[in-house]
Amino acid sequence: MKVAIIGAGNLGLAIAKGILHSNGATTMYLTKRNTKSIQEFEKYGNVTVTSDNQEAVKNSDILIFAVQPGHFTTILEQTKDLLTEKHVIISTITGFRIPRIEEIIGSDKYIIRSMPNTAISVGKSMTCICSNELGKKRIDLAKAIFNRMGHTLEIPEEQMQAATVICASGIAFWMRLIRATTQGAIQLGFDAKEAQELAMHTCNGAASLLIESGSHPEEEIDRVTTPKGCTIEGLNEMEHQGLSSSLIKGIVSSYEKISHIRKA
Ligand SMILES: NC(=O)c1ccc[n+]([C@@H]2O[C@H](COP(=O)([O-])OP(=O)(O)OC[C@H]3O[C@@H](n4cnc5c(N)ncnc54)[C@H](OP(=O)(O)O)[C@@H]3O)[C@@H](O)[C@H]2O)c1
């Protein structure tokens, strides 16, 4: 696989590391305008660091674009004449819709749109992907790339904004829940470091239980709630205070905001 990451910033480098650490590329081009900060990547023998996007496109098959939205159109314009039937274009650019990409480079290209989250830097991203009509032929390839860095789900493009809220903003929502648990643990007598350790590993364990068993959260809750016991006492108090309701309302507010931003 000959891969180019166009825009090797936070996300681009996280993707590059995920691919390199799993030996997923025969060659890799990493591009940005100021390459000094990423020069060290050339220590991987198969990596070329350059500010020349055209060189990267010419010498690669899979093009992963990870620039800021404001730079994307110009870069596509500068490279579109170099695109051939070998190229698969994977965009990570938030809010940049596939029809807009097709307008610039044509619909006769394999175009994939992806929405990873920041956990990609530790190989645990929940990444949603969709494609144009032709891109459906390469969607398994894109899934295979992102599965190296977590879990991937194919969705219709219309759900991309909702996925952004649940998966990208979702990282912040879960962080707040972990922090709140940490604060509770401190109040119960653990020091701050231990409290966070308890909170984050319990969170990790809870998610892993569901992922590995395929069970429903309520089944797992039933396993730990003794009748008249302390867990149900705590859970019901949290619900009286609006735990589920506030999470759902927060998610819907985020979605309304992202929808409003898109229309603006
Ligand atoms: N971070 C996330 O978790 C996340 C999640 C999902 C989607 N996204 C999307 O991913 C994109 C990148 O986000 P980010 O956080 O990684 O941004 P970032 O750190 O700012 O990275 C963007 C990179 O693009 C480079 N760049 C700018 N102009 C360029 C050009 N003409 N040619 C080549 N490279 C160029 C910049 O470096 P120079 O200035 O040196 O050129 C910079 O390193 C955004 O569109 C964002 O919406 C991010």
Side-chain angles (χ1 to χ4, degrees), residues 1 3 5 14-25 28 64 145 148-149:
M1 214 163 62
V3 181
I5 313 270
I15 295 173
K17 283 179 197 158
I19 295 174
L20 289 169
H21 291 165
S22 57
N23 293 322
M28 180 179 282
I64 302 178
I145 292 171
R148 290 168 188 274
M149 295 159 265

Side-chain angles (χ1 to χ4, degrees), residues 131-150:
S131 72
N132 70 342
E133 198 49 39
L134 196 63
K136 286 179 185 162
K137 293 186 180 160
R138 295 290 182 272
I139 202 99
D140 286 342
L141 173 72
K143 272 190 196 163
I145 292 171
F146 286 104
N147 280 342
R148 290 168 188 274
M149 295 159 265

Side-chain angles (χ1 to χ4, degrees), residues 7 9-11 32-34 53 66-69 71 75 92 94 116 118:
N10 290 319
L11 180 64
K32 73 198 290 287
R33 289 167 303 186
N34 179 0
N53 292 328
V67 293
Q68 292 293 343
H71 294 142
I75 293 171
T92 67
T94 311
T118 50

Side-chain angles (χ1 to χ4, degrees), residues 209-226:
L209 271 175
L210 297 178
I211 292 165
E212 283 172 34
S213 69
S215 60
H216 188 279
E218 285 305 320
E219 277 175 67
E220 298 298 333
I221 289 174
D222 285 346
R223 281 189 228 281
V224 294
T225 43
T226 313

